[in-house]
Amino acid sequence: MTVRDLFRRTQVRSAVAFTLIITVSVTALFAVLIVHLAAGLEDSVRARVVHTRDALLAIDRRYGFDELVSVVVDEAESVRDADSIFAVQDSNGAIVAGNIRTERPFEGWRVLERSHLPDIAGNGTGRDRFFALWTPVSKGMLLIGRSDREVQQARLILMRSLGWGLLATVILGVGSGIYLARGAQRRIDDIANTLSAVSAGELDRRVPIKLSQHDLDEVGQRINAMLTQLERLVQSANQSSTDIAHDLKRPMTRLRQQLESAYDAEPANSEIKPILDGAIEEVDSIVSTFEALLNIGQLEAGDRRARFVDIDLRKVLDDATEAYAPVIEDSGFNLAWNAQQAAALTIRGDHELLLQLVANLIENVIQHCPSGTTIELALSGNPRKPNLTVADNGPGIPSDEHEKVFRRFYRLERERSSPGHGLGLSLVRAIADLHGASIDLIDNAPGLKVSITFPQRP
């Protein structure tokens, strides 16, 4: 099963659609979570800034501006300065303490980029930002800022978690779809293989049922019930045909004997004798037609498949040539068959039936083509997929009639007055189908080529 075939399965498509819905939903949920968490963490950073500011304002009020400057100097020189910024501006606008000296007072909160602060740009990471706030003190202004590194780290953790979660969801969803599709495909293959076997004549084949309460098992059970009924009907029809054959054989035989007796009793110059001769021929034609129908029915039921053995197609054509060479020559036809150049192609089949197939095709040419027509037999292909052809250079068959001629009793318009019962090619198709072979009619320009391709051997 290719990837393209796999994604045509309903289970895989459903799993992919479900996975897509879950992915979109989880992404939206994480996006909302990230936004709210980031907002909460930013508020926490601002709260720390306010807390530090309030503590320094308390020092300014209690101990004076000089003590505030001293504390800020200590804070700016401490190890915590990588995540915090401080600045104290005196009443003249000069920065007298802190770890940044380029930022001037501004109103309210502002986000400062570390990369824009030359004094500390080399510390931390270039993506750091500071939530900063200027506040008036007794003799100047105080700047306090706090890095949002914790916010960025939390956001990064959530994004990574989202990525891994989505990856796991996709793998789990698609993997589940593939697993379900393969399981369902095995059941579908069981159904398809069973139906193919039944169509090839193995009426006793049934769909394997796993009793797992799967919906396809229910379908398989119904198919099996249908196949059981079909087998019963076919067996009944075959039995009825056999019974009819036995019932008709005796009276038809008696009728023929009576006609022969009447024929023999008539004098040689009797006018009734040709009539009786024609009646005998009609009886023979009726019996032949009925036997052909019975043969086709038995072949379509696959009754002869149990007799299959390994046979050489070259031997089949040799036997057909040997049997029909005198008839072909007496009828004024030509036969072309080169056994020495033909490859030895072996198939599983019934030698007698395949001989009958070739014989019917040869008889079809003799019956419907003018004298002088050449009949060519050939083998081609390879041992794994043999091809047998019977070709002629006669009038051929119109392309729009190619499929119709395999119908029972179908006759071309130009052949309706010629002898025959229109079952020859129907029997050829039945024998080919029994062997799992495909049969094609090809314009031989002029004439017709019948190509029979046998299935590839395992």
Side-chain angles (χ1 to χ4, degrees):
M1 183 189 301
T2 64
V3 175
R4 179 178 297 179
D5 291 336
L6 192 63
F7 278 90
R8 290 176 179 170
R9 307 301 174 193
T10 301
Q11 292 84 354
V12 174
R13 290 185 175 183
S14 299
V16 170
F18 182 74
T19 301
L20 182 61
I21 293 173
I22 293 297
T23 299
V24 172
S25 301
V26 171
T27 301
L29 178 63
F30 263 78
V32 173
L33 179 63
I34 290 172
V35 169
H36 283 278
L37 180 62
L41 291 175
E42 289 177 0
D43 290 341
S44 176
V45 172
R46 289 189 176 93
R48 292 186 194 179
V49 171
V50 171
H51 177 75
T52 302
R53 180 201 64 181
D54 292 343
L56 293 176
L57 288 178
I59 292 174
D60 179 53
R61 286 193 298 269
R62 185 171 183 176
Y63 300 105
F65 182 76
D66 292 339
E67 183 63 22
L68 171 64
V69 171
S70 177
V71 171
V72 169
V73 169
D74 292 338
E75 287 290 334
E77 292 177 352
S78 71
V79 295
R80 293 174 292 173
D81 287 350
D83 292 328
S84 300
I85 56 174
F86 299 92
V88 178
Q89 187 182 67
D90 61 15
S91 57
N92 297 322
I95 300 296
V96 295
N99 55 3
I100 62 170
R101 297 182 176 274
T102 57
E103 196 64 33
R104 294 303 174 211
F106 48 79
E107 296 289 334
W109 289 95
R110 182 174 293 184
V111 178
L112 304 178
E113 302 287 342
R114 181 184 291 273
S115 58
H116 296 164
L117 301 174
D119 301 302
I120 60 171
N123 300 329
T125 65
R127 296 186 302 274
D128 283 353
R129 302 182 308 162
F130 294 88
F131 293 96
L133 178 68
W134 280 98
T135 303
V137 291
S138 60
K139 295 182 180 180
M141 299 287 291
L142 171 66
L143 172 67
I144 301 175
R146 184 76 182 177
S147 170
D148 69 342
R149 184 178 303 173
E150 294 178 357
V151 179
Q152 293 187 39
Q153 289 176 344
R155 185 184 289 114
L156 180 61
I157 292 173
L158 286 176
M159 292 298 293
R160 287 177 176 174
S161 300
L162 173 61
W164 285 110
L166 292 181
L167 179 61
T169 301
V170 170
I171 293 175
L172 181 62
V174 175
S176 300
I178 293 174
Y179 174 77
L180 294 174
R182 289 187 179 278
Q185 186 59 39
R186 283 193 293 270
R187 289 182 168 90
I188 293 172
D189 289 341
D190 289 339
I191 294 174
N193 292 335
T194 299
L195 294 178
S196 296
V198 171
S199 66
E202 300 180 35
L203 297 182
D204 59 339
R205 285 285 295 273
R206 296 294 181 269
V207 177
I209 303 299
K210 303 182 183 302
L211 299 177
S212 58
Q213 304 301 319
H214 195 281
D215 52 353
L216 289 177
D217 286 332
E218 182 178 352
V219 173
Q221 290 173 347
R222 297 192 179 189
I223 291 176
N224 286 344
M226 178 196 68
L227 293 178
T228 299
Q229 180 66 15
L230 175 63
E231 183 181 20
R232 187 180 300 115
L233 291 174
V234 170
Q235 290 175 347
S236 176
N238 288 341
Q239 186 61 45
S240 298
S241 299
T242 303
D243 294 341
I244 292 172
H246 286 299
D247 291 342
L248 288 181
K249 184 176 182 180
R250 191 175 295 109
M252 294 299 291
T253 302
R254 286 199 304 267
L255 175 60
R256 194 180 192 284
Q257 290 173 348
Q258 292 171 0
L259 290 173
E260 287 181 342
S261 298
Y263 180 85
D264 293 337
E266 290 294 322
N269 58 352
S270 173
E271 296 180 355
I272 299 178
K273 206 158 190 173
I275 298 175
L276 293 174
D277 187 51
I280 293 172
E281 290 182 359
E282 289 297 330
V283 171
D284 289 340
S285 177
I286 292 172
V287 173
S288 176
T289 300
F290 192 73
E291 288 180 349
L293 287 172
L294 285 178
N295 287 337
I296 292 173
Q298 291 173 355
L299 292 172
E300 290 177 344
D303 295 343
R304 300 283 292 271
R305 190 175 284 105
R307 296 170 49 180
F308 280 12
V309 295
D310 287 342
I311 59 174
D312 187 352
L313 287 177
R314 186 170 53 184
K315 181 67 168 59
V316 174
L317 294 186
D318 281 340
D319 291 347
T321 301
E322 182 180 353
Y324 274 87
V327 177
I328 292 172
E329 184 178 350
D330 292 344
S331 302
F333 288 77
N334 303 308
L335 179 63
W337 161 241
N338 192 332
Q340 286 72 28
Q341 294 185 359
L345 301 176
T346 302
I347 67 166
R348 293 286 295 178
D350 186 306
H351 181 90
E352 180 183 342
L353 290 179
L354 291 173
L355 182 59
Q356 185 176 5
L357 178 149
V358 177
N360 277 21
L361 293 176
I362 292 175
E363 289 177 355
N364 198 60
V365 176
I366 295 174
Q367 185 174 351
H368 301 298
C369 293
S371 178
T373 299
T374 297
I375 305 172
E376 183 178 359
L377 308 181
L379 289 177
S380 60
N382 56 66
R384 294 181 61 84
K385 199 169 185 180
N387 178 266
L388 182 154
T389 60
V390 179
D392 64 73
N393 58 352
I397 297 176
S399 58
D400 58 344
E401 301 276 357
H402 282 184
E403 191 60 32
K404 298 178 183 177
V405 295
F406 291 107
R407 300 177 187 172
R408 298 181 186 184
F409 303 109
Y410 186 82
R411 308 283 297 278
L412 294 177
E413 189 64 34
R414 67 171 185 256
E415 299 169 355
R416 295 194 180 276
S417 59
S418 61
H421 41 60
L423 292 173
L425 288 179
S426 297
L427 186 58
V428 168
R429 166 63 67 84
I431 295 173
D433 289 344
L434 181 69
H435 289 79
S438 62
I439 180 168
D440 299 293
L441 301 185
I442 304 169
D443 185 4
N444 201 34
L448 179 71
K449 177 186 289 186
V450 182
S451 174
I452 301 172
T453 303
F454 293 88
Q456 181 171 329
R457 299 192 66 186

